Amino acid sequence: MSGEDINAGTFYKVKKVVRYIRLYGFLRTCVKVKGQYHMKSIEGFTENKWTNKACKSPDSVNRCVAIIGCGYYPYSVIAFYMKSINKDFLRCTLDIDRPRARSLCFDYGGVYATDDLEVILADKQIKLVFIASNHSSHAEYAERCIKAGKHVHIEKPHVVSYEQLEVLTNAQKYSPDVKVFLGFNRPRSYLFSCLMETLKLQSGPSMINWFIVGHHLQDNHWYYDAKEGGRILGNLSHWSDLTLHLVGIKNAFPCEIIPATLPGSKSDYIVAINFADGSAAVISFSAKGQTSTGVRELLNLQKQDCLASLSNFEALTIDVGDFKKTYKPFYRDHGHRNNILNSYSAALSTSGTGESLEYIRSTARFFLAIRDAMATGEKIVITSE
């Protein structure tokens, strides 16, 4: 590699950091950069448990959270926001990649790291488990934690098959005191909340159009492993879930899913959905190259007299008759903070509630059916349960 190539690469990275400071703020950008180094950690441990001798107050009752899966997202998002309200939140980290488990535990002042789930299940001090491992492992980890009496926050997708959905929801049915939360963060963002408040005042069906540009992934990325569910479950499920929120579960089913993409496409999808109440949606997802500011997403929607446009969770414009208003928060807000902290506060509160069984089943049935329609190229109808 020439010196010019190195300089060009460094210049691009600096520009990206400056851009991210504007989008997310200085502290969030710093942890994003630090997360890249975390992913390259090489120092692990030899036994099934590593104790962090630098941990202060290891016996504190505040240390009631475990994190399963110690990749970039749990490091730079889950742990970051948890620490913002409780610097002593972390008790344990778990990952089959021991260096990452140790790195996250050490950097966030946790008590210990492990690669053995039994250690977490036996630890009575752990009340809430964040599950952010590979997609195919989410449901199994969640089921076992639920049966052990621990509240769980499951990152998307919470299941990758109908069989996993039955296992997960059965565990939830038979453990009514355990609260289950999902990692669909965008519904809790400020701008989406503003949009939903306006739509409540409108009646009738909606016309919904999503255009999303996702990250470009190499062909050997683990998302493409058949058991992991592909990008429809790993990425597009965000916007299928948002669409379900916009229409409402009570208005959604039965619905028909019509794919408009050739079978076998790995990253570029178009799907149309006709809902029971007459609403219709089109979701287009493209990942042909890298974008400079991460995922790009644009929503255009009409419901009765309301016209709305949501751009990258940076700006929302609403027109209702002669009324027009633009909402534009200082930083981009995808709802991560609100979603993560809601799980934490609700799990530890006697009055807090988790997600309903109806919602957990409905959003999963929806994204699983979209995946099946894309795989076969055939229309699929989701019936009411």
Side-chain angles (χ1 to χ4, degrees), residues 8 15 21 42 45-46 51-52 91 93 120 158 180 211 252 260-261 274 287 306-308 315 345 347 366-367:
K15 280 186 64 178
I21 290 174
I42 58 173
F45 45 94
T46 56
T51 300
N52 181 14
R91 180 152 180 84
T93 59
I120 287 181
H158 45 298
V180 178
F211 178 72
T261 303
N274 293 319
C306 175
L307 289 170
S345 60
F366 192 35
F367 64 62

Side-chain angles (χ1 to χ4, degrees), residues 208-212 239 242-243 246 282-284 298-299 310:
I208 301 165
N209 188 297
W210 284 103
F211 178 72
I212 304 110
W239 297 279
L242 283 169
T243 301
L246 290 168
V282 174
I283 305 175
S284 302
L298 177 64
L299 167 68
L310 174 61

